[in-house]
Amino acid sequence: MSNQNSNYLIVDGHQDLAWNILAFGRDYTRSAAETRRLELATDTPARNGDTLLGYPDYQHGRVALIFATLFAAPDRRKLGDWDFLCYPDDDIEAAHRLYSQQLDTYHQLINDHPDKFKLVSNRAELESLLELWVTAQGDNPLRTNDPPVGLLILMENAEAVRSPAELDLWWNRGIRIIGPAWAGTRYCGGTREPGPLTAEGYALLEGMAELGFILDLSHMDEEAVLQALDAYPGRIIASHANAQALLKGLDSNRHLTDRMLSGLLARDAVIGVVPANGFLLPGWKEQGGRETVTLEHVVAQIDYVCQAAGDANHAAIGSDFDGGFGLQSVPGTINSIADLQKLAPLLSAKGYRDEDVAAIFGGNWLSLLRESLP
Ligand SMILES: [Zn+2]
């Protein structure tokens, strides 16, 4: 039986850390509780919710590795006057600058706190990170201190890639995953802005495949997803996306239709389920109270992917925590990222074996990375 002592390593497929650091001055070396206390007198909780993240919480939850994003939005999707991490629509140079700044932010974080955060851009770095986590488990006598959390950099919205010719620049700076869309981009249709993969989109995929990037289909419109599934020869994921079939009545192209899901599974993809209330219960609004959504809703999404796949080798977690929402918008029993460990007994009760739970929590992301990182 899985114990409550957080035995499973978690790999989280999506967290917008740099965006939070730059937009709100968040310091993720602190605990979530400490950041909340410091933000009590600020506008941050109203803008982005109370944080769910922090280094001590990663330790409690055994979150060993995070796909850490570079993310900025075009002005047409600005969240408010305070939202300065936006670029004028179609201003590719401005997008490029914002994304470069976020990448610098990660390198700075890693430089300033090498004991707490570590870049993962190749297999050797991944294995040495995991070694530290294994050594740090329980009362192992080799244990010295808490291990660093790995950051694998994911570019969300590829507008900052000025042309496929500069993909090697991003690759050389450590980016390993690219999601072409957020809103629609010149590469393809995206959330609330449907459309196909464009000629530039096909060229982007070709350049990505040459270098060995992992393609993240999250936010891409269904039409573009189906084209990319055919066109992209490299590894494919959905870092943070839920199944539309369990979200009846929710009119959005943000979620995975059954066609997209079966296409992803046919390409041996891994899919990060998002434990955000708006993505778990159609029509959920903050006023409704976070208690109306439970971890069983998250389990249902995980189970849906596993049932579609016929195994537990494709479902994973892509929390998207702090990505435009916080404590107020997650299931009632989640107080911080560490509480994702509470999914383990629920999955066990549903018949998932310990090795299945380990795969869903982190093993599936790790297998994919072991097969695709340089
Ligand atoms: Zn996103």
Side-chain angles (χ1 to χ4, degrees):
M1 229 24 223
S2 9
N3 72 49
Q4 297 166 318
N5 232 346
S6 311
N7 262 326
Y8 302 101
L9 280 190
I10 289 181
V11 177
D12 189 344
H14 205 94
Q15 292 183 16
D16 299 324
L17 300 182
W19 183 76
N20 275 273
I21 292 168
L22 291 166
F24 309 113
R26 281 182 167 165
D27 176 354
Y28 284 117
T29 67
R30 295 179 177 131
S31 69
E34 174 71 356
T35 298
R36 287 180 205 166
R37 195 181 61 74
L38 293 167
E39 289 179 351
L40 272 178
T42 72
D43 295 325
T44 302
R47 291 170 179 170
N48 200 37
D50 282 313
T51 184
L52 294 158
L53 306 175
Y55 177 77
D57 307 281
Y58 295 140
Q59 296 301 323
H60 289 143
R62 302 204 77 222
V63 181
L65 177 66
I66 295 162
F67 299 179
T69 73
L70 313 179
F71 168 73
D75 275 345
R76 64 181 184 277
R77 300 283 281 270
K78 213 184 234 312
L79 295 169
D81 290 342
W82 58 268
D83 186 9
F84 59 90
L85 291 175
C86 295
Y87 55 88
D89 295 355
D90 306 322
D91 187 343
I92 296 163
E93 291 298 328
H96 184 91
R97 282 192 298 276
L98 284 172
Y99 276 68
S100 300
Q101 184 192 21
Q102 295 202 10
L103 189 48
D104 291 342
T105 299
Y106 285 122
H107 285 291
Q108 178 95 43
L109 179 69
I110 290 160
N111 273 333
D112 291 350
H113 305 281
D115 54 326
K116 293 192 170 64
F117 295 100
K118 185 181 187 305
L119 184 73
V120 171
S121 62
N122 58 46
R123 253 175 292 172
E125 287 165 353
L126 177 66
E127 297 306 339
S128 76
L129 175 87
L130 294 173
E131 184 66 39
L132 293 171
W133 279 85
V134 170
T135 313
Q137 187 162 25
D139 41 9
N140 188 320
L142 292 175
R143 176 174 189 151
T144 47
N145 49 18
D146 286 339
V149 175
L151 301 180
L152 188 128
I153 316 288
L154 182 164
M155 175 185 278
E156 179 172 31
N157 169 7
E159 210 72 279
V161 179
R162 292 172 295 189
S163 83
E166 74 168 31
L167 279 168
D168 61 342
L169 177 154
W170 295 104
W171 177 267
N172 291 335
R173 294 197 64 201
I175 312 246
R176 292 294 176 263
I177 307 173
I178 295 180
W182 180 67
T185 62
R186 65 191 195 287
Y187 296 119
C188 63
T191 300
R192 287 195 266 144
E193 298 175 0
L197 205 58
T198 63
E200 278 178 287
Y202 277 103
L204 180 80
L205 295 193
E206 200 177 313
M208 283 172 56
E210 255 166 53
L211 287 162
F213 279 102
I214 298 163
L215 170 64
D216 182 3
L217 299 181
S218 310
H219 287 285
M220 283 171 69
D221 186 49
E222 182 182 50
E223 185 181 0
V225 165
L226 298 177
Q227 291 170 315
L229 285 167
D230 282 339
Y232 198 65
R235 289 310 296 264
I236 296 177
I237 66 169
S239 69
H240 61 315
N242 287 355
Q244 173 71 44
L246 298 180
L247 300 170
K248 296 231 158 50
L250 213 163
D251 181 24
S252 165
N253 71 339
R254 173 65 181 87
H255 310 291
L256 301 174
T257 62
D258 284 343
R259 264 204 321 174
M260 289 155 81
L261 182 60
S262 67
L264 278 156
L265 293 170
R267 290 296 319 274
D268 200 21
V270 175
I271 294 139
V273 164
V274 188
N277 293 355
F279 280 24
L280 293 169
L281 184 65
W284 183 86
K285 291 276 182 300
E286 226 173 278
Q287 312 78 280
R290 69 196 206 97
E291 287 74 18
T292 55
V293 186
T294 71
L295 285 174
E296 292 293 354
H297 290 91
V298 184
V299 169
Q301 283 286 346
I302 292 170
D303 189 56
Y304 191 83
V305 174
C306 294
Q307 297 302 335
D311 59 41
N313 300 329
H314 300 273
I317 292 168
S319 80
D320 205 10
F321 281 180
D322 286 5
F325 63 94
L327 177 71
Q328 292 79 359
S329 304
V330 296
T333 44
I334 295 181
N335 184 50
S336 87
I337 187 89
D339 294 310
L340 290 180
Q341 291 286 350
K342 292 176 180 168
L343 288 166
L346 302 180
L347 287 165
S348 300
K350 232 179 155 59
Y352 285 83
R353 300 166 303 171
D354 286 357
E355 59 260 45
D356 296 332
V357 179
I360 292 162
F361 274 35
N364 293 334
W365 283 135
L366 292 177
S367 302
L368 181 131
L369 294 177
R370 282 180 167 128
E371 288 162 17
S372 49
L373 285 181

